[in-house]
Amino acid sequence: MAVEANSCVVVGAGISGLLAAHELQNSGWRVTVLDKGRGVGGRMATRRAGGGTFDHGAQFFTVRGERFEKLVEEWMETGAVREWTRGFASPDGEQSEDGHPRYRGASGMTSIPKHLARDLDVHTSERAVEVNLRAGGWEVTCESGRTASGAALLLTAPVPQSLTLAESGGFALTEEIRTQLEGISYDPCVAVMALLDGLAAVPEPGGMQIRGEPLDWISDNQIKGISEAPGITIHAGPKWSREHYEDPDTSLASTLLSFAEEQLGGLGARVLETSVACWRYSWVTDSHPEPCLVANEHPPLLFAGDAFGPGKVEGAALSGLAAADRLLGRDG
Ligand SMILES: Cc1cc2nc3c(=O)[nH]c(=O)nc-3n(C[C@H](O)[C@H](O)[C@H](O)COP(=O)(O)OP(=O)(O)OC[C@H]3O[C@@H](n4cnc5c(N)ncnc54)[C@H](O)[C@@H]3O)c2cc1C
């Protein structure tokens, strides 16, 4: 039996996959979204621990273009998004405002993907492990044994993961497409979350942009407005993260906390509990110039995500929309 026309399997429930799914569903397509995570959002990630709420992936986002601006306005109206600040503290603790709004999810960065996933057919804790051409379309098999089929397939995981998945069954990419995808790379990022027994010494507005080594960023999730309990998120710089990626969590937590203490001139409170998240793919270092990549025309196979176009949250969102535009035959 031929696969249903106007149907798509989307692998990845990050901002890119969810926006693509939304756009396709709004145009009458049947869309199945699969994600290996326990929740949606991918790198827009919020974790709860011991009464604290921590954003441990993306910390905020900016808006540069009109298409994304419209979406953010809608999200503000529904209450999924709030403006956080117009500038962060510099490494010496001074707040520098440049007039550009920085946005956050209302209850943490996952508020946005959760809002987008509400009306979609999203299956979490489903790791896609094999892709095959079947009945004129695509069949995706998950580790659990679940299968999902569609006339089109959209892969939005970080590209090295999507690349492995695309060629996991009987399908082979052309040499040219594989070379383009293999040229994409990312930096890793080690993140430490620490629940504190009092207000941390992070200056207003609760985010310090260091952009260096060994530290890239420190934020106070309470001042940010997403956590009842005091708690900080620390991101290591890309070089330090690469060198220490395999270190045990206890060592990553204690070392990054001591760096943060040094940076802030003391934490200001006692550490009650820590947890660690290691992102193998955090920021894109070598991107693809196009907003998405059509890797096969019939049946359609597309790659999207923050590696395509300008990157970050806005780039990922626009990439998902561009992939949907291609499938819908729109110019975008
Ligand atoms: C530590 C860190 C800090 C950041 N800070 C910022 C910031 O402040 N501002 C900003 O704009 N951006 C920031 N970013 C980048 C931003 O988070 C990303 O650009 C954006 O969220 C990427 O969205 P995406 O949909 O392309 O990918 P993702 O969010 O990575 O979504 C891909 C999804 O695919 C899923 N997946 C992968 N493999 C499989 C599989 N085999 N089967 C099923 N599902 C699979 C994953 O679970 C994931 O949910 C940061 C990222 C990190 C990690």
Side-chain angles (χ1 to χ4, degrees), residues 1-4 130-141 147-152 169-171 299:
M1 207 171 69
V3 73
E4 185 184 332
E130 197 176 311
V131 158
N132 282 291
L133 287 166
R134 246 339 154 247
W138 297 96
E139 184 182 75
V140 180
T141 307
T147 59
S149 309
F171 177 76

Side-chain angles (χ1 to χ4, degrees), residues 46-317:
T46 308
R47 186 181 287 182
R48 284 173 181 82
T53 304
F54 301 84
D55 277 339
H56 57 101
Q59 299 292 304
F60 64 92
F61 62 89
T62 49
V63 176
R64 306 284 170 196
E66 253 176 56
R67 196 173 188 186
F68 191 53
E69 188 177 16
K70 278 208 183 103
L71 280 175
V72 175
E73 277 167 11
E74 273 172 42
W75 298 339
M76 299 264 280
E77 274 165 29
T78 61
V81 164
R82 305 238 170 101
E83 184 180 323
W84 176 2
T85 180
R86 299 207 168 197
F88 293 107
S90 60
D92 55 14
E94 294 296 315
Q95 189 180 355
S96 52
E97 298 238 347
D98 59 12
H100 278 300
R102 274 73 162 181
Y103 299 93
R104 62 170 172 83
S107 319
M109 292 301 273
T110 42
S111 296
I112 302 150
K114 277 184 180 162
H115 169 72
L116 288 172
R118 275 170 329 171
D119 305 322
L120 297 173
D121 183 25
V122 181
H123 302 267
T124 52
S125 301
E126 292 288 2
R127 180 188 295 272
V129 289
E130 197 176 311
V131 158
N132 282 291
L133 287 166
R134 246 339 154 247
W138 297 96
E139 184 182 75
V140 180
T141 307
C142 298
E143 209 166 44
S144 66
R146 175 190 285 272
T147 59
S149 309
L153 175 60
L154 171 60
L155 303 179
T156 69
V159 168
Q161 295 172 334
S162 290
L163 194 48
T164 306
L165 183 60
E167 299 196 307
S168 53
F171 177 76
L173 295 161
T174 64
E175 218 31 63
E176 192 202 329
I177 294 284
R178 192 181 307 111
T179 306
Q180 288 183 41
L181 293 169
E182 281 172 351
I184 291 167
S185 59
Y186 303 73
D187 272 331
C189 178
V190 174
V192 167
M193 292 146 272
L195 185 72
L196 306 177
D197 71 350
L199 199 64
V202 182
E204 288 287 342
M208 181 182 267
Q209 209 154 27
I210 305 158
R211 292 193 179 123
E213 298 290 348
L215 293 185
D216 178 66
W217 166 266
I218 307 173
S219 59
D220 181 317
N221 295 285
Q222 197 179 38
I223 304 181
K224 183 177 185 180
I226 63 161
S227 182
E228 293 267 317
I232 57 170
T233 301
I234 307 165
H235 284 163
K239 181 169 177 285
W240 195 92
S241 296
R242 204 175 292 284
E243 285 166 6
H244 296 273
Y245 196 82
E246 303 294 341
D247 290 3
D249 283 4
T250 46
S251 151
L252 293 172
S254 67
T255 311
L256 287 180
L257 273 164
S258 66
F259 290 147
E261 208 168 340
E262 206 175 303
Q263 179 74 45
L264 298 170
L267 283 182
R270 212 163 45 91
V271 175
L272 299 177
E273 201 177 304
T274 58
S275 63
V276 173
C278 291
W279 298 99
R280 188 169 293 285
Y281 307 106
S282 66
W283 297 93
V284 179
T285 44
D286 292 291
S287 61
H288 192 283
E290 301 295 329
C292 68
L293 181 70
V294 181
N296 199 58
E297 289 281 355
H298 303 292
L301 166 62
L302 278 78
F303 286 70
D306 64 342
F308 299 88
K312 302 188 193 176
V313 169
E314 179 169 12

Side-chain angles (χ1 to χ4, degrees), residues 7-25 29-36 120-124 126-128 131 138-140 142 148-157 162 165 300-305 319-320 323-324 327:
S7 60
C8 182
V9 179
V10 176
V11 176
I15 188 86
S16 167
L18 290 172
L19 275 173
H22 227 263
E23 205 68 5
L24 293 170
Q25 187 168 291
W29 283 45
R30 182 182 60 77
V31 186
T32 311
V33 184
L34 304 169
D35 200 292
K36 68 184 165 84
L120 297 173
D121 183 25
V122 181
H123 302 267
T124 52
E126 292 288 2
R127 180 188 295 272
V131 158
W138 297 96
E139 184 182 75
V140 180
C142 298
S149 309
L153 175 60
L154 171 60
L155 303 179
T156 69
S162 290
L165 183 60
L301 166 62
L302 278 78
F303 286 70
S319 173
L327 289 171

